[in-house]
Amino acid sequence: MEGAAKKLMAIMPFLFGIGFIAPLTAQLLERFGHSGPFGLSAVAFGLLFGGTWGLVANIRGRWL
Amino acid sequence: MDTIRQPGYADEAFTADVEAEVAGLALRGGNDLDKHTRVDLLKQERAIAREFHSGRMWPYVVAAWGGFALWVSLFPLTMLGIVPLWLACIVACVLATGGYVTSHEAMHSNIARPNTKYRWVNEWVGKVSTIPIVFPFSMARLMHLEHHYHCNDPEKDPDYTDEAPSAAWAWYKTWYNRQPGVDGSIHHYKRILAGMGTPEAKKALKDTLLLQLFFMATLFTLAWNGYALVAAAVWWLPRHVGLSYIRFYLSWAPHHPREGNTSRYDTTRIFKSRLGHTMSMGMETHLIHHLYPGIPNHRTKEAYFALKPILQKRGVDCSAL
């Protein structure tokens, strides 16, 4: 159980990207009356943006 | 370098024999006080410090539990649109930052000593206070006491990673140390706890894992149910603001420069904060806290002025206050 939790923590930046940054991006876009670019929905763009950023943060060890 | 460990728990400042403690105290450069004078000064110092020990601690309990209840209430209040997000965010930032102050008193057992009737109050003040910054009390207490015991030791002080050459760099480092691949802040604490290997350290690591998973699960659940902005404004952003503020004012500002300053009167500097005593959470007189951890935060300034003549005789730079 604890081992599984540790493995989960190891990929937490990526999970944070799709679990939090993605819906946050989508809801920010919607709040200001926008949809995603290139014809994407706000959620699809959020997932693309958050997932990519989280993956990069996971690999680099830095968010910025 | 001092051979005597610095005090951590509330009453430890009085447990060492005066003569033995004086024998272990490093003198400041240019200080040529003889042993008799140093023993006498330490006796006077302790007598004055005792007057400020303890005091009314119930406001810390009210602040901790009331603050936690208010913070929890911000979730439904913002979700229902009763409180605007911007206001909730400001309040949550204040609560997340201030929570460390109440927790800090509990770390030193200042609210109730071990094996006393109200010890549970002390423990629960500590436990709830640092939830907004996702910093479990078990870890906070262990690491903070290590910081006291080995203050400014590059190997043994868990907070040494906060050191930076300037205030601007220190602010930057508060953020940088939280990056997933950087060995600073809570990542550094985890490594230290894993190395300690004691039952308390293992429990602290487990508590940290559980609290972090709970934090993430809460954020994800709120976010995917349409409340991402609430999660960001009430927990995610206040946590980051709180942690940076705490790291800067409670760690960097009073202990800079850390290098080589490991003796009793050198670990902490007396400084004048641009934001004043309250906004810097009493850190201007943090030296008093390191000398006598049993003096509550709200009494350190008063104690400093009472102890000032003795500190000056010991060679402490008191020019700032």
Side-chain angles (χ1 to χ4, degrees):
Chain A
M1 183 67 190
E2 211 166 308
K6 279 180 181 171
K7 281 176 184 168
L8 204 64
M9 291 305 285
I11 56 161
M12 194 48 83
F14 174 65
L15 295 177
F16 188 79
I18 56 173
F20 184 64
I21 295 174
L24 180 64
T25 305
Q27 285 162 46
L28 276 169
L29 284 170
E30 285 163 356
R31 191 177 178 97
F32 294 104
H34 298 295
S35 57
F38 319 115
L40 291 168
S41 67
V43 171
F45 175 72
L47 280 166
L48 191 69
F49 173 68
T52 305
W53 195 10
L55 191 63
V56 170
N58 222 131
I59 294 163
R60 285 183 67 238
R62 312 275 189 281
W63 281 100
L64 292 171
Chain B
M1 180 85 61
D2 285 351
T3 53
I4 288 194
R5 194 173 73 160
Q6 308 282 337
Y9 272 116
D11 297 325
E12 277 184 327
F14 299 103
T15 51
D17 173 68
V18 173
E19 298 263 350
E21 188 162 342
V22 162
L25 294 184
L27 286 175
R28 291 173 154 264
N31 190 336
D32 57 355
L33 299 172
D34 59 44
K35 188 186 172 187
H36 173 78
T37 308
R38 283 184 286 139
V39 167
D40 190 52
L41 280 174
L42 188 57
K43 281 179 179 173
Q44 288 180 54
E45 190 187 290
R46 284 187 176 188
I48 294 167
R50 272 188 199 281
E51 294 171 29
F52 296 95
H53 246 231
S54 303
R56 287 187 315 155
M57 297 305 288
W58 65 262
Y60 289 94
V61 181
V62 172
W65 293 349
F68 182 70
L70 176 59
W71 176 71
V72 170
S73 76
L74 289 174
F75 287 94
L77 289 171
T78 47
M79 287 159 86
L80 296 166
I82 297 166
V83 173
L85 281 176
W86 65 267
L87 180 61
C89 189
I90 292 168
V91 172
C93 285
V94 172
L95 295 172
T97 309
Y100 191 86
V101 177
T102 52
S103 173
H104 181 234
E105 293 303 319
M107 288 174 209
H108 290 287
S109 301
N110 284 346
I111 291 158
R113 304 286 194 262
N115 307 312
T116 58
K117 187 181 175 183
Y118 295 108
R119 178 63 175 175
W120 64 273
V121 175
N122 185 87
E123 299 304 278
W124 278 99
V125 162
K127 282 174 185 175
V128 304
S129 294
T130 49
I131 289 173
I133 55 169
V134 196
F135 189 31
F137 181 57
S138 52
M139 176 189 256
R141 176 154 58 193
L142 271 178
M143 291 297 94
H144 187 64
L145 291 176
E146 283 298 306
H147 159 68
H148 270 260
Y149 296 148
H150 310 291
C151 194
N152 294 353
D153 183 310
E155 299 297 321
K156 295 177 179 175
D157 182 352
D159 293 341
Y160 201 88
T161 55
D162 294 326
E163 183 54 4
S166 67
W169 270 108
W171 277 113
Y172 169 74
K173 271 195 95 173
T174 65
W175 170 83
Y176 176 79
N177 279 342
R178 287 198 300 276
Q179 296 305 295
V182 176
D183 185 37
S185 191
I186 205 161
H187 311 301
H188 185 58
Y189 288 176
K190 282 181 183 175
R191 200 168 53 76
I192 293 170
L193 288 171
M196 284 169 101
T198 61
E200 293 83 5
K202 285 176 182 171
K203 184 187 178 296
L205 275 173
K206 195 175 176 181
D207 290 348
T208 305
L209 190 65
L210 289 171
L211 186 56
Q212 286 182 327
L213 288 173
F214 176 73
F215 171 58
M216 289 299 169
T218 305
L219 289 191
F220 298 177
T221 305
L222 283 169
W224 281 107
N225 281 284
Y227 297 108
L229 295 174
V230 167
V234 178
W235 203 348
W236 178 72
L237 189 60
R239 173 181 173 259
H240 281 287
V241 170
L243 283 172
S244 284
Y245 201 94
I246 290 160
R247 287 271 164 210
F248 181 84
Y249 270 111
L250 274 77
S251 187
W252 182 83
H255 293 296
H256 177 73
R258 277 185 155 93
E259 195 178 347
N261 291 320
T262 53
S263 63
R264 180 175 164 88
Y265 298 95
D266 287 338
T267 57
T268 318
R269 65 186 174 121
I270 301 295
F271 71 103
K272 184 80 191 108
S273 168
R274 289 178 191 176
L275 296 184
H277 185 71
T278 304
M279 286 293 284
S280 63
M281 297 184 282
M283 290 301 110
E284 290 175 327
T285 53
H286 193 55
L287 172 63
I288 303 303
H289 170 66
H290 271 263
L291 298 175
Y292 299 97
I295 296 176
N297 188 268
H298 68 283
R299 302 191 77 189
T300 55
K301 193 170 186 178
E302 191 187 1
Y304 163 72
F305 286 111
L307 288 163
K308 190 175 175 179
I310 292 167
L311 295 175
Q312 284 173 315
K313 284 176 188 169
R314 298 271 352 187
V316 175
D317 180 5
C318 297
S319 58
L321 284 175

